[in-house]
Amino acid sequence: MSAMSNTNWDRRNVLRAAMGLAAAGGLAACGGNTGRSGGGSGDALVQYFHAYGEAGTEQAIKKYAKAYKDANVTTQWITGSNFEQKLFAALLTKNAPDVFEFHPQIQLIKSGQVADLTDLIDPVKDDFNQADIKSHTVDGKIYGIRMIDDPQFFFYRPSMFEKAKVEVPTTLEELLEVADKLTTSKVKGAYLGSDLTPVQHNLIWSAGADTLTADNKPAFNTDAVADGLKQLRSLFTSGNLLLGAPTEWWDPSAFTQGLTAIQWCGMWAMPAMQQALGDDIGIFPFPKVGSAGKESVYNGGWSMFVNAKSKNVEAAKAYVKWLWIDQKEYQEDWATSYGFHIPPRTSLAETATKLKTGLPAEGVKLFNEFGHFDNIGWTQAMIASFNDVMANSVRKNGDPKKQLDTCQAKVDTELKKLFG
């Protein structure tokens, strides 16, 4: 996710979206000025973005929109901690956006909410990261155009590691030991977000499991995942974890202010970190969990969708094609000028000079070696039920295996709704 945002929003917290759909009617009036009166040539279109935290992002998106001559495009820049609630609420009203950013999720396709964009993407399909194409494809059709790929990993302070005489951990067990040695009266060993949910997908992957199998069955309920949850529980109770940080995990402040020696965060935060700390920054993937595991990097990111229920579907598709397929200069600007993200277009990723050397290049390398992408079938409701596993077995002292069993039953129910 590209948000060093002033929103507390991230895709793992989006259980509110699932709940918000039901209660959405009450939120329908939010963002009342849709700009639909528009005075430009052609159609009036409205696009929704969450408030990215990197300076200059809002101005950039508005600049691109203004450069488009075939429609009058207004941007709703949604601040606050509940972008997904506002988005889902707005989609149920006559003031729904024509174009919006979100993540690939199959319920949006099954409910007919997002338009098929295969015809736009097909001519350039080979120039996209193929994992991005796969994560937006259902029954051979592509829904949504990826704008940015956002790898997430652990950032650490080499100077603090040197002082504590510790090495970069490659197993979760080692991470716990390292966090203990790094903790002082002023600095905590590690920060994994206020509720630890930012690392829940990585815990599954690093334990050699997955969210779902290729044929959409639950794949996360394993002994290795249960063991990993126990280890996270012992980290949570150790006193070596930063809890109650001033900002959420997607913002680098806790790290740059020296409150923690290690922080889970995204590549987007690198420029702000480098400005504050110079070269005293390293990165490493989520370490492996158990003997059969493998290190993992979470590839978040944002995609552009066309509202299939818009009155201006064709105009919206034309705009999305113009900006996110044709305007490579804007695509590179968006990915590298306001924070570091990897362009999903292979040709851009290969030429983006800012990602060629130093820490960003290391981030790209980890992304290519250990990256995991979203599974389009892993929905809001499923994410929410795994959030409960984290709450009950890591932050409270519930039995991890029982929590995983409960989660599996809920996920099964959701899968039956979606796939029969």
Side-chain angles (χ1 to χ4, degrees), residues 291-337:
S291 52
K294 188 189 175 185
E295 293 160 290
S296 67
V297 165
Y298 182 79
N299 177 41
W302 290 88
S303 309
M304 198 37 71
F305 297 91
V306 169
N307 180 3
K309 297 171 181 178
S310 158
K311 291 184 186 74
N312 296 313
V313 172
E314 290 312 313
K317 283 176 67 175
Y319 169 63
V320 164
K321 175 187 183 292
W322 174 82
L323 181 50
W324 299 111
I325 301 280
D326 302 340
Q327 302 302 314
K328 285 178 119 181
E329 191 186 325
Y330 288 155
Q331 292 157 35
E332 182 171 356
D333 181 63
W334 185 239
T336 61
S337 296

Side-chain angles (χ1 to χ4, degrees), residues 61-81:
I61 281 295
K62 289 179 175 174
K63 178 185 85 177
Y64 311 152
K66 197 175 176 190
Y68 185 60
K69 297 300 175 221
D70 295 340
N72 183 45
V73 183
T74 308
T75 304
Q76 291 271 320
W77 190 255
I78 311 293
T79 57
S81 63

Side-chain angles (χ1 to χ4, degrees), residues 12 152-154 172 197-209 211 225 232 264 284-289 294-299 370-372 386:
R12 295 168 203 69
Q152 297 163 21
F153 20 62
F154 281 114
L172 186 54
T197 57
V199 300
Q200 67 189 34
H201 289 90
N202 291 82
L203 181 75
I204 295 169
W205 296 320
S206 283
T211 49
V225 172
L232 281 186
W264 184 259
F284 63 92
F286 194 92
K288 70 178 197 165
V289 179
K294 188 189 175 185
E295 293 160 290
S296 67
V297 165
Y298 182 79
N299 177 41
F370 300 113
H372 288 261
F386 207 93

Side-chain angles (χ1 to χ4, degrees), residues 16 102 151 169 181 221 350:
R16 288 182 304 245
F102 204 60
K181 289 181 177 154
N221 188 358
E350 283 168 359

